[in-house]
Amino acid sequence: MKKKKPDLLPIRIYGDKTLRKTAEPVSDITLEIREFIDDLVYTMYEKDGVGLAAPQVGRSLRVFVVDPFWFREGGEKNPRVLVNPKFLEFEGQVESEEGCLSLPEIYETVMRAKKATIEGLNENGENVHYEAEGLFARALQHENDHLDGILFTDKVPKLKKILLRKKLNELKSTTDENGFNIGKH
Ligand code: NI
């Protein structure tokens, strides 16, 4: 069966309840899942992201995509897909600024492991293993957090969080009674 063309998926914004759920493992990489991954990759690039996790488009599944350098390497795209990922090792600590497509216009400094080793499956169900550092390691940790309902703003020190609260509440104000939030349109 031929795969469909990828769709641009609406991104859930802070306040959306799917962003706070613990995502479910993928039991079988079906054609539907592969098409969904294509949509996820397409949406990440369309929105100028370096990573996108399934809960950010309203699907509570343990899937994310990252491509930390495509905008730096002359636009060459190299998406890495992780299905049911698991970290094996962390090394060191480093602070750097992060943002998130689900938290528009919010940028904060977050402490992460400097190096991270992860394994999982790709979109074809093959085992993948990455020993990452720098922005790649950071993106893996940020995206994997989405699978556990964790947002980077949760990792901001308490004092800074007080200053952040107003911005977060503004984002949250667009959430409907079902906990669905794709922001202001
Ligand atoms: Ni994010």
Side-chain angles (χ1 to χ4, degrees), residues 19 51-53 56 98-103 112 142-143 146 150-152:
L19 291 174
L52 189 60
Q56 291 183 272
E98 289 186 21
C100 180
L101 293 174
S102 294
L103 291 144
R112 299 273 186 194
H142 176 118
E143 297 312 323
H146 277 301
I150 299 165
L151 301 171
F152 80 94

Side-chain angles (χ1 to χ4, degrees), residues 1-6 30-36 38-39:
M1 206 158 82
K2 208 171 160 238
K3 282 206 282 182
K4 65 169 183 63
K5 274 190 182 164
T30 58
L31 176 66
E32 194 276 325
I33 292 288
R34 287 204 299 278
E35 287 178 341
F36 168 67
D38 282 349
D39 293 344

Side-chain angles (χ1 to χ4, degrees), residues 150-167:
I150 299 165
L151 301 171
F152 80 94
T153 43
D154 299 343
K155 304 199 169 232
V156 166
K158 250 190 188 147
L159 265 174
K160 271 202 164 174
K161 222 179 252 176
I162 294 167
L163 299 169
L164 248 182
R165 192 139 297 151
K166 191 170 170 267
K167 281 190 195 172

